[in-house]
């Protein structure tokens, strides 16, 4: 392999690694905005109040409604099991997720607190959309929303630590990749004594 080609591959690998580390920071920014945001929930009284113009990103919300378990299902990912369901009057425009097991007592609840965000911004939204379609014949509309119950804005140490660590790592890698230069050692001169 020619030396210029090797250098180009090495440069591309360095840039790709820096982009990967930077993406670790970018992914955490919306979470930090939510956790540092207003802790007073936005009140939502009906589906007509849900719009992407009003809620382009995650907000802490109190949604009025009653549980509709006709399309309830559980989904496991990475060792965690979530229960998904809808609320009456909202239909497929609002998908609710909880970590807790649900039962008929939940039908008496009339106010649901949690993180409200556009459905397409939720992790694994494509998989949840497929389950609704395949299991119930229900299409999740493009303007749908997602409500993660009991996700109260609260800054956690691991989030701050992850962002700080990724930031320091990016700076160190950038310095090592592009700014750091090894000092070239001068070859030692050997003195040869002339024969007498």
């Amino acid at each position: 392999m020619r030396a210029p080609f090797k250098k180009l591959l090495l440069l591309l690998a360095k840039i790709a690694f820096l982009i990967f580390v930077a993406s670790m920071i970018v992914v955490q920014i919306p979470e930090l905005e939510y956790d540092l945001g207003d802790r007073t929930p936005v009140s939502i009284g009906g589906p007509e109040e849900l719009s992407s113009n009003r809620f382009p990103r995650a907000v802490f919300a109190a949604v009025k409604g009653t549980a509709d378990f006709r399309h309830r299902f559980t989904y496991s990912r990475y060792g965690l099991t979530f229960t998904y369901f809808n609320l009456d009057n909202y239909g497929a425009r609002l998908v609710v997720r909880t970590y807790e097991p649900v039962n008929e007592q939940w039908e008496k609840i009339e106010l649901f607190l949690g993180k409200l965000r556009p459905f397409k911004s939720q992790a694994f939204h494509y998989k949840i959309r497929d389950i609704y379609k395949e299991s119930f014949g229900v299409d999740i509309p493009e303007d749908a929303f997602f409500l993660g119950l009991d996700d109260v804005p609260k800054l956690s140490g691991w989030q701050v630590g992850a962002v700080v660590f990724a930031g320091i790592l990016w700076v160190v890698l950038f310095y090592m990749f592009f700014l750091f230069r090894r000092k070239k050692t001068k070859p030692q001169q050997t003195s040869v004594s002339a024969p007498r």
Side-chain angles (χ1 to χ4, degrees):
M1 195 178 286
R2 295 178 181 177
F5 188 64
K6 278 185 177 179
K7 286 183 178 179
L8 178 62
L9 282 179
L10 185 60
L11 176 64
L12 291 175
K14 290 176 180 179
I15 292 172
F17 198 66
L18 285 173
I19 291 172
F20 171 74
V21 174
S23 68
M24 293 169 56
I25 300 171
V26 172
V27 165
Q28 290 297 324
I29 290 175
E31 297 297 325
L32 287 173
E33 286 179 348
Y34 174 76
D35 290 330
L36 292 171
D38 193 357
R39 297 190 179 188
T40 303
V42 177
S43 180
I44 298 172
E48 66 281 353
E49 297 181 32
L50 294 177
S51 72
S52 55
N53 290 333
R54 184 179 178 195
F55 304 113
R57 62 182 60 87
V59 295
F60 184 42
V63 181
K64 294 177 182 176
T66 55
D68 177 4
F69 290 146
R70 288 176 298 166
H71 303 140
R72 177 178 67 181
F73 65 92
T74 57
Y75 176 63
S76 297
R77 191 88 178 196
Y78 302 125
L80 297 173
T81 300
F82 310 104
T83 300
Y84 292 83
F85 59 95
N86 303 105
L87 298 183
D88 280 332
N89 300 328
Y90 293 86
R93 282 207 63 218
L94 181 63
V95 177
V96 183
R97 183 195 72 192
T98 181
Y99 297 95
E100 300 177 33
V102 300
N103 53 43
E104 282 64 34
Q105 295 296 320
W106 281 58
E107 294 178 354
K108 298 177 182 178
I109 300 174
E110 296 181 351
L111 189 67
F112 294 85
L113 285 172
K115 181 193 284 189
L116 180 76
R117 68 173 108 184
F119 184 78
K120 60 187 176 184
S121 301
Q122 176 59 28
F124 312 117
H125 63 89
Y126 54 90
K127 183 62 180 174
I128 303 305
R129 191 184 296 273
D130 289 344
I131 293 173
Y132 268 96
K133 180 68 175 175
E134 294 168 9
S135 300
F136 309 109
V138 174
D139 288 315
I140 302 294
E142 290 300 318
D143 62 346
F145 281 82
F146 175 87
L147 181 67
L149 298 185
D150 304 320
D151 194 347
V152 179
K154 183 180 179 182
L155 196 62
S156 64
W158 76 266
Q159 270 186 313
V160 175
V163 172
V164 170
F165 173 76
I168 293 172
L169 180 62
W170 192 92
V171 171
V172 169
L173 288 174
F174 184 84
Y175 175 77
M176 294 297 293
F177 289 163
F178 300 110
L179 302 178
F180 178 75
R181 297 284 181 261
R182 288 187 184 147
K183 293 181 180 178
K184 294 183 178 179
T185 56
K186 293 181 180 179
Q188 293 182 349
Q189 293 181 349
T190 56
S191 58
V192 180
S193 57
R196 292 180 182 177

